[in-house]
Amino acid sequence: MGQRLVERAPGGRRVALTRAGELLLEHSAHILAHAQAARADLAALAEGRLGTLRLGVFPSIAARLGATLVQELRRSLPQMQLSLVEGPSDTWLLQRLEAGELDLAFAVLPLPEGPFEAVDVHEDEYVLLVGADTPLARTGRAAVLEDMRDLPLVRHVGTVAGEDHLRRHGVEPRFDYVSQINSTTLGLVAEGAGAAFVPRLVMDPGDARVRSLELAPPFRISRRIAIVRHRHRRNVPGADELVSVARRAFESVGLARAPSQGN
């Protein structure tokens, strides 16, 4: 760089950045992001992967939409192969996307800082999941705030936004169980361990042991799901088509289409 970037204290044990070093550090994240994007594009070209789209999906997307996404993209772009990579969370997926190991990934908005750009594809509303034989399931009405005040809950990891929403409306959630896996949450609710405040996408519509109750205002809340790409990638064939495919896939499993907009 032609400038001193670090200062060493006497003895050489302590090192501090100079102002020039601090300035270079601010640029380094962008430099690294461009380098990773270039490496991913060149690797795809060298390996002949221009006809393969590596898509990161979190568990509820994989369970509800995985097969539909593959089939829909095959119909739209028969020359394109879709490779689904399931990760434990969207945070994990975004790390792989930034490193060039994925071409696109599903994630919940807002995104963390990074070289990302997103297209909003779905609004996923929260529901109250209850056992099919509970009094609340038999009411036939939407759940209201009063239903939640003394209701034991199964805390589903990843639903912090819903919990914060309850607290803002004067309800302190009471959690008797904590689960990180969708099927475990469904099983606990079915066995009477409590109810669960979860996004609709987590639901298994074929599970007769549980019921999902709509949430009445002001209890209603949702999360936005987007398809994310690396901002500096130049070679992601099929990316635009996948947005349309994803919206059709959400509709095909009975979930409403979100407004088309960038973010």
Side-chain angles (χ1 to χ4, degrees):
M1 294 295 102
Q3 298 187 50
R4 183 183 294 276
L5 303 180
V6 297
E7 294 283 2
R8 293 184 181 274
R13 292 185 178 182
R14 296 181 59 187
V15 179
L17 290 175
T18 64
R19 179 63 189 121
E22 292 174 351
L23 187 60
L24 180 61
L25 183 62
E26 292 174 10
H27 285 285
S28 65
H30 301 289
I31 294 170
L32 181 60
H34 277 285
Q36 290 170 328
R39 186 183 302 115
D41 278 344
L42 290 171
L45 182 64
E47 296 168 14
R49 285 195 289 101
L50 297 186
T52 300
L53 191 63
R54 301 168 301 170
L55 174 64
V57 293
F58 46 86
S60 55
I61 293 283
R64 295 289 299 276
L65 298 180
T68 304
L69 287 170
V70 172
Q71 293 165 3
E72 286 286 338
L73 189 65
R74 187 176 296 150
R75 277 194 286 268
S76 300
L77 294 174
Q79 75 279 15
M80 180 71 63
Q81 179 181 346
L82 181 62
S83 175
L84 296 183
V85 179
E86 183 177 349
S89 67
D90 54 358
T91 299
W92 186 92
L93 295 173
L94 291 175
Q95 290 171 347
R96 271 69 192 169
L97 181 67
E98 185 171 3
E101 298 170 16
L102 296 173
D103 300 310
L104 299 168
F106 280 97
V108 176
L109 299 174
L111 299 179
E113 289 188 13
F116 308 121
E117 58 185 24
V119 178
D120 192 336
V121 293
H122 180 65
E123 180 177 5
D124 191 20
E125 292 186 341
Y126 279 74
V127 295
L128 183 65
L129 199 63
V130 298
D133 59 352
T134 60
L136 198 52
R138 292 192 292 268
T139 63
R141 61 169 173 79
V144 297
L145 282 171
E146 288 303 316
D147 293 325
M148 302 294 294
R149 293 197 184 278
D150 300 311
L151 191 65
L153 295 174
V154 176
R155 184 179 188 273
H156 186 74
V157 173
T159 60
V160 175
E163 297 163 22
D164 290 344
H165 188 67
L166 285 176
R167 292 187 178 100
R168 284 196 296 272
H169 288 89
V171 176
E172 182 60 35
R174 177 188 135 199
F175 297 110
D176 290 355
Y177 295 86
V178 177
S179 170
Q180 298 188 33
I181 302 173
N182 295 343
S183 58
T184 301
T185 300
L186 295 174
L188 287 168
V189 172
E191 293 299 320
F197 189 45
V198 299
R200 189 184 299 279
L201 197 58
V202 171
M203 268 292 299
D204 178 359
D207 193 336
R209 303 173 301 164
V210 297
R211 296 284 184 273
S212 62
L213 304 181
E214 301 290 334
L215 304 177
F219 193 17
R220 188 169 294 159
I221 186 174
S222 62
R223 63 178 183 172
R224 307 298 307 190
I225 296 176
I227 292 179
V228 187
R229 65 185 294 168
H230 196 299
R231 183 179 298 116
H232 305 303
R233 289 288 305 275
R234 293 291 179 268
N235 196 16
V236 187
D240 294 336
E241 183 65 29
L242 184 67
V243 171
S244 299
V245 164
R247 290 181 175 138
R248 291 199 301 271
F250 279 112
E251 284 190 318
S252 72
V253 296
L255 299 170
R257 183 192 296 248
S260 174
Q261 58 184 29
N263 190 47

